[in-house]
Amino acid sequence: MYNNKLLYFSVVNRFQAYQLAGAALFKNELVTEYQSSNDIARELKRAVSQSLPAAKKICKYFEANNAERTALNVYCWIRKNIVYQREPGSDQTAKTLSRLLSEGYGDCKHYSTFAAAIFKALKMPVYFRIINQTGRYNHIYTVLKYPNGRVIYCVAAYRDWETDRKSTRLNSSYSAKSRM
């Protein structure tokens, strides 16, 4: 188990990050009334794209000496600074990074958008993975996949890094990949 005190990062809090990233862009945008996983992935990719300017301003605070440490920094920061609040199935929204920082709460989609924007700003090879946990595709997270085959999962909606790693391996056979 990783000990948060051993991390190499010195990350700003949510309010400092918001000030550095700039004013909140856009409102929470409803994906569609009857959205599919493809609709959600499309809107999250758009939110990541719109978040890149803000992510470039704060990504240095997450960067560590290797990819796994960087992913762990992002994971721990989200867990500490953004409150998890699940949205009802009929009201799925996409948020930009600055909107998430402004509001201070979100669900797995918003956590994934934040993480993906930071990883993209650091030029890390990231994509979304949508998985089936209850008979339908209902969870999304980010995956870093390197040409040498190394894979790092970043699922900030789970309570600890180890649960994240075990659960994603178990559920990966039910995944739908969405490259950015």
Side-chain angles (χ1 to χ4, degrees):
M1 185 96 180
Y2 290 95
N3 181 338
N4 290 351
K5 294 178 183 173
L6 298 177
L7 297 177
Y8 296 120
F9 72 112
S10 173
V11 178
V12 295
N13 66 35
R14 181 174 66 86
F15 300 106
Q16 293 165 322
Y18 175 70
Q19 288 175 334
L20 291 167
L25 291 177
F26 313 105
K27 61 185 188 308
N28 294 337
E29 297 185 26
L30 185 66
V31 175
T32 64
E33 190 171 345
Y34 298 101
Q35 70 277 344
S36 69
S37 57
N38 287 334
D39 294 329
I40 292 169
R42 182 185 64 249
E43 290 303 311
L44 295 185
K45 284 188 218 180
R46 180 195 48 75
V48 168
S49 177
Q50 292 173 340
S51 296
L52 276 177
K56 288 177 181 177
K57 293 177 184 176
I58 64 172
C59 66
K60 66 183 176 186
Y61 296 102
F62 298 93
E63 192 169 21
N65 61 350
N66 65 53
E68 186 165 15
R69 279 284 177 196
T70 299
L72 185 57
N73 288 347
V74 170
Y75 169 89
C76 290
W77 191 91
I78 292 170
R79 294 290 306 162
K80 181 179 178 183
N81 291 280
I82 306 296
V83 174
Y84 183 84
Q85 186 173 326
R86 187 177 185 163
E87 291 182 322
S90 61
D91 190 24
Q92 296 293 299
T93 64
K95 295 181 185 183
T96 60
L97 179 147
S98 56
R99 173 61 55 194
L100 182 63
L101 291 173
S102 170
E103 294 178 350
Y105 64 89
D107 66 8
C108 62
K109 298 180 312 301
H110 311 120
Y111 283 14
S112 295
T113 300
F114 181 94
I118 295 296
F119 296 145
K120 280 189 73 82
L122 292 170
K123 300 190 182 335
M124 298 171 77
V126 63
Y127 65 89
F128 289 128
R129 180 172 283 169
I130 301 172
I131 61 172
N132 173 342
Q133 290 182 318
T134 61
R136 64 183 187 88
Y137 290 99
N138 65 339
H139 185 57
I140 189 166
Y141 57 92
T142 53
V143 178
L144 300 165
K145 187 168 184 178
Y146 290 87
N148 67 1
R150 177 160 181 165
V151 176
I152 300 171
Y153 305 100
C154 186
V155 190
Y158 292 147
R159 287 184 200 164
D160 66 71
W161 187 251
E162 293 301 317
T163 299
D164 160 12
R165 295 164 58 114
K166 291 173 189 164
S167 180
T168 54
R169 280 193 208 111
L170 292 173
N171 288 315
S172 64
S173 63
Y174 299 103
S175 69
K177 294 180 185 176
S178 179
R179 295 214 178 270
M180 287 184 258

